[in-house]
Amino acid sequence: MATAVTETIPPSLPSTTNTISLDTYDEEQVRLMEERCILVDENDKAYGEDSKKTCHLMSNINTGLLHRAFSVFLFRPTDGRLLLQKRADEKITFPSMWTNTCCSHPLSIKAELVEENQSGVKSAAIRKLPQELGIPSSQLKSEDFIYLTKIHYLAPSDGLWGEHEIDYILFSTIDVDLNLNPNEVSDAKYVSKDELEAMFSDSDNSFTPWFKLIARDLLYPWWDEMLSKSKDQGLNGVDAKVLANGPKVGELIKML
């Protein structure tokens, strides 16, 4: 008997996509809006590509358009503090907000489409960390990124822009040098859990929605486990590799 093949049918996008003007936005950020994101269905099955602009318009998101993303959480191995960044004012989506170390998208290119061992999203992280934070690429290795899970979430930025992503969460504990790209990042700092909680409690701070979701439901238990297991195993510092194959590793978690 022949096996039926299920084909992903892409959503029908509004005809207004190409009429949205980007003339008032930063020139470099507009250029980045032409990057080609990986389109996926709700099971994270890749079926095509489209521009970053198309993927982030709420008019398209409301039809169900969904793309692949990643979020890096980089901790300092000496003390387990988490590196945060504040997104630059020039960013088109979620400007001037605090967030995790790096959050972006694998592109529809050969190296970043590889799904085995999450190699594609790890390659994308190694591409973006130097571009945003100025971390030398020589300090970044694929094996230093530990994949924990992926989340499916949707979040408006304003009336025009938003996010609808399947977001791969990567932890890493490496020492890095920073040289911030001011067009991407206006500030960066390492924080402890208590310091992050204090930041969340301060109404003067604003945070990206994916970071708030991850912090609310996932970050703190993983952070605690990483610190405690690193100590219990007598490691010289904190190592994210102690979380490999732990709870929720590999699950697709819906946060809609």
Side-chain angles (χ1 to χ4, degrees):
M1 180 180 295
T3 302
V5 177
T6 302
E7 181 180 357
T8 300
I9 300 175
S12 178
L13 304 183
S15 59
T16 56
T17 297
N18 293 326
T19 66
I20 302 296
S21 173
L22 301 179
D23 290 347
T24 60
Y25 295 104
D26 175 80
E27 182 178 352
E28 174 62 12
Q29 292 298 318
V30 169
R31 184 188 69 80
L32 293 172
M33 279 299 210
E34 295 308 310
E35 292 182 332
R36 307 296 288 181
C37 293
I38 301 168
L39 303 181
V40 295
D41 64 16
E42 63 182 11
N43 296 310
D44 193 34
K45 179 183 177 182
Y47 67 86
E49 64 178 67
D50 216 321
S51 70
K52 184 177 173 183
K53 174 186 176 183
T54 297
C55 290
H56 290 82
L57 285 168
M58 281 305 300
S59 57
N60 297 330
I61 290 170
N62 289 334
T63 71
L65 192 67
L66 177 64
H67 63 278
R68 189 173 287 165
F70 68 85
S71 287
V72 172
F73 290 75
L74 192 154
F75 300 84
R76 192 161 56 193
T78 52
D79 57 13
R81 286 174 175 257
L82 172 63
L83 178 61
L84 303 183
Q85 67 153 277
K86 188 175 185 181
R87 292 164 67 87
D89 296 344
E90 289 83 358
K91 299 289 282 185
I92 293 174
T93 58
F94 307 99
S96 311
M97 293 186 180
W98 285 100
T99 194
N100 51 288
T101 311
C102 181
C103 27
S104 189
H105 316 92
L107 302 181
S108 187
I109 58 178
K110 184 177 180 180
E112 298 182 14
L113 282 163
V114 179
E115 296 183 352
E116 185 177 4
N117 297 320
Q118 301 81 42
S119 293
V121 292
K122 292 176 182 178
S123 293
I126 291 171
R127 171 177 55 83
K128 286 298 290 185
L129 284 162
Q131 191 259 330
E132 292 190 0
L133 294 162
I135 298 173
S137 57
S138 60
Q139 296 178 346
L140 304 170
K141 299 177 182 177
S142 180
E143 59 265 29
D144 289 328
F145 293 91
I146 307 304
Y147 166 66
L148 295 181
T149 193
K150 49 191 174 182
I151 66 169
H152 178 185
Y153 79 96
L154 188 157
S157 177
D158 53 26
L160 183 59
W161 305 102
E163 289 284 11
H164 187 207
E165 300 180 329
I166 289 186
D167 187 15
Y168 286 62
I169 299 176
L170 304 173
F171 269 34
S172 185
T173 43
I174 53 176
D175 285 312
V176 295
D177 298 315
L178 301 178
N179 183 17
L180 305 184
N181 176 356
N183 190 257
E184 290 283 339
V185 178
S186 63
D187 196 4
K189 61 181 176 180
Y190 286 94
V191 296
S192 66
K193 291 187 301 175
D194 289 344
E195 289 166 342
L196 180 56
E197 287 282 15
M199 288 180 67
F200 279 128
S201 298
D202 186 344
S203 60
D204 288 337
N205 294 321
S206 57
F207 298 87
T208 60
W210 62 87
F211 182 48
K212 288 192 290 186
L213 283 171
I214 294 168
R216 184 193 70 190
D217 294 343
L218 300 169
L219 173 61
Y220 293 114
W222 281 330
W223 201 343
D224 284 336
E225 184 180 357
M226 181 177 65
L227 294 174
S228 64
K229 282 188 173 181
S230 295
K231 182 179 180 180
D232 292 345
Q233 294 180 23
L235 302 180
N236 185 23
V238 180
D239 192 341
K241 291 184 176 69
V242 300
L243 296 177
N245 303 315
K248 290 190 171 65
V249 170
E251 286 187 24
L252 172 58
I253 302 171
K254 295 185 183 295
M255 294 183 166
L256 298 170

